[in-house]
Amino acid sequence: MKTIIIDAIALIGAFIGMEGVAWLAHKYIMHGLLWRWHRDHHKKEDDGFFEHNDFFFILFAVPGILCLLFGMFNNYNFVFWIGAGITLYGLAYFIIHDIFIHQRFKILRHSDSVYFRALRRAHKMHHKHLGKFDGECFGMLWVPFKYFKEMKNKNA
């Protein structure tokens, strides 16, 4: 029973912690050192399906894959569940960011949920800034309260 609790904490903690990691990576790596990979996500350079920004999927998948492998080779210990949490966050990020917000696949177009509309608004505010600096809303699943309030008032 103790192992199940530790594994569950590792899974949930990794998933939640990844929002902070994503915020830091987005602000300081994507809008910093590796801006040249991220730039075409803010300012389209061509009409192709793929962007240089997609290299981040590969880069950010590595820690999750390594944790899954190390955990698997060590009798599925808590490291495996950390890898599972990281990987699940990556999947959620892909579904929310690429499918729901940017509509790279034409599904999940309509939502009446205040959360999803606030999330879309926060991301739109992030893309309002076309350059490397002066950005806002670097996270993905955590939405600043002001956008909830804005979307809730829009309904009233």
Side-chain angles (χ1 to χ4, degrees), residues 10-77:
L11 176 79
I12 295 166
F15 185 91
I16 292 170
M18 281 306 296
E19 179 68 9
V21 171
W23 189 94
L24 289 167
H26 192 178
K27 184 166 176 76
Y28 296 108
I29 296 173
M30 298 167 86
H31 279 254
L33 184 67
L34 294 177
W35 169 249
R36 64 188 158 158
W37 285 6
H38 191 57
R39 182 181 46 223
D40 69 344
H41 184 63
H42 281 263
K43 193 173 181 181
K44 291 283 181 198
E45 295 173 351
D46 60 48
D47 291 332
F49 181 79
F50 290 105
E51 304 170 343
H52 291 103
N53 188 59
D54 294 332
F55 287 127
F56 287 112
F57 276 114
I58 298 165
L59 185 69
F60 294 150
V62 170
I65 292 168
L66 289 176
C67 285
L68 287 170
L69 280 174
F70 287 128
M72 199 170 70
F73 291 135
N74 288 294
N75 204 24
Y76 293 91
N77 67 6

Side-chain angles (χ1 to χ4, degrees), residues 79-137:
V79 177
F80 175 84
W81 296 103
I82 290 172
I86 292 170
T87 303
L88 285 175
Y89 183 85
L91 177 65
Y93 195 100
F94 173 73
I95 292 169
I96 295 295
H97 182 263
D98 286 68
I99 297 176
F100 178 69
I101 293 174
H102 288 292
Q103 290 291 301
R104 290 180 84 173
F105 302 97
K106 304 299 178 202
I107 55 174
L108 304 176
R109 292 181 140 178
H110 308 287
S111 173
D112 222 14
S113 160
V114 171
Y115 171 74
F116 285 119
R117 285 188 292 121
L119 188 120
R120 192 176 263 158
R121 177 74 175 146
H123 200 74
K124 189 174 184 173
M125 294 310 291
H126 175 74
H127 278 275
K128 177 179 87 175
H129 306 280
L130 298 177
K132 181 177 178 178
F133 303 105
D134 300 325
E136 60 185 292
C137 297

